[in-house]
């Protein structure tokens, strides 16, 4: 049992030093699910084991970080969004920032603010994508301009008609 606990503890420590640039969120979720199930089995079998309780706390904290980590690794985040996050977390967010640094700087306390930034980033990205699509569509459109002599002819006819009406003897009512 203790070797298994040491293995899990090693996993938790390795996650804490993982940088955002190397983070594979789906793999982390899967591993956390596995560790959580195993911890539950150990806790059930050994009700007095204190090491799994400590590990349970760390695993629970890591589980809580997953949504925030999903926000911080979104492709929709632009530099302006990262600057907002830097102000909130009081950290310089980059690919080398570790999960441990984020947790220690209160990432979980600011989850709602991070979520709002992420929603704004997603909305802005969606608008930018739609604008790019429209620009691409309109750039491919070819408009052909041709002269329209009919309009000129109509203008000449209107001019002649107006002149005739204003000349003596052809006015209105006569």
């Amino acid at each position: 049992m203790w070797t298994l606990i040491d293995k899990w503890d090693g996993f938790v420590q390795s996650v804490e030093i993982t940088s955002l640039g190397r983070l594979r969120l789906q793999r982390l979720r899967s591993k956390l699910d596995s560790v959580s199930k195993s911890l539950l089995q150990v806790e059930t079998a050994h009700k007095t084991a204190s090491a799994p309780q400590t590990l349970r706390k760390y695993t629970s904290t890591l589980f809580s970080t997953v949504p925030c980590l999903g926000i911080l690794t979104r492709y929709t985040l632009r530099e302006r969004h990262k600057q907002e996050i830097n102000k909130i977390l009081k950290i310089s967010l980059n690919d080398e920032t570790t999960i441990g640094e984020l947790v220690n700087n209160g990432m979980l306390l600011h989850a709602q603010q991070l979520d709002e930034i992420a929603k704004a980033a997603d909305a802005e990205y969606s608008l930018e994508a739609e604008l790019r699509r429209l620009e691409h569509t309109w750039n491919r459109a070819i408009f052909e301009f041709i002269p329209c002599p009919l309009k000129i002819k109509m203008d000449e006819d209107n001019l002649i008609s107006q002149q005739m009406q204003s000349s003596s003897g052809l006015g209105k009512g006569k």
Side-chain angles (χ1 to χ4, degrees):
M1 176 177 97
W2 291 109
T3 37
L4 191 58
I5 291 172
D6 288 341
K7 182 179 174 183
W8 292 330
D9 192 42
F11 163 71
V12 169
Q13 289 176 7
S14 71
V15 169
E16 287 181 344
I17 62 170
T18 300
S19 65
L20 287 177
R22 291 185 36 228
L23 178 65
R24 302 296 171 259
L25 205 54
Q26 191 58 38
R27 192 179 304 160
L28 175 62
R29 280 187 185 122
S30 175
K31 187 69 174 176
L32 284 170
D33 283 340
S34 172
V35 169
S36 183
K37 287 175 187 173
S38 298
L39 281 173
L40 186 60
Q41 291 170 352
V42 169
E43 287 172 348
T44 303
H46 305 281
K47 294 185 188 327
T48 60
S50 62
Q53 292 298 327
T54 305
L55 199 54
R56 166 67 65 196
K57 178 183 160 208
Y58 289 133
T59 306
S60 176
T61 299
L62 285 177
F63 258 120
S64 302
T65 66
V66 169
C68 290
L69 293 173
I71 290 169
L72 298 178
T73 57
R74 270 196 165 106
Y75 65 92
T76 58
L77 289 179
R78 299 290 190 253
E79 191 58 37
R80 64 183 171 274
H81 304 118
K82 290 179 182 177
Q83 289 173 358
E84 285 181 64
I85 292 169
N86 288 344
K87 286 179 187 175
I88 292 168
L89 298 180
K90 297 178 176 67
I91 193 170
S92 180
L93 189 65
N94 58 50
D95 284 348
E96 300 305 314
T97 305
T98 66
I99 295 172
E101 290 173 320
L102 293 167
V103 171
N104 290 337
N105 282 2
M107 175 179 65
L108 296 174
L109 299 174
H110 303 287
Q112 185 175 357
Q113 289 173 293
L114 296 176
D115 188 53
E116 289 169 8
I117 292 170
K119 286 178 182 174
D122 290 348
E124 290 171 21
Y125 183 83
S126 177
L127 287 173
E128 290 168 3
E130 181 62 18
L131 284 172
R132 282 191 299 275
R133 187 190 68 75
L134 287 172
E135 182 179 33
H136 179 71
T137 301
W138 283 102
N139 282 340
R140 290 186 328 192
I142 298 173
F143 294 98
E144 190 175 322
F145 296 98
I146 56 172
C148 184
L150 181 61
K151 185 175 181 348
I152 294 170
K153 177 73 174 145
M154 286 175 44
D155 288 345
E156 287 176 358
D157 289 344
N158 286 340
L159 185 60
I160 291 170
S161 170
Q162 286 175 357
Q163 287 176 346
M164 288 174 59
Q165 286 179 353
S166 65
S167 68
S168 61
L170 294 176
K172 293 182 181 179
K174 291 192 178 185

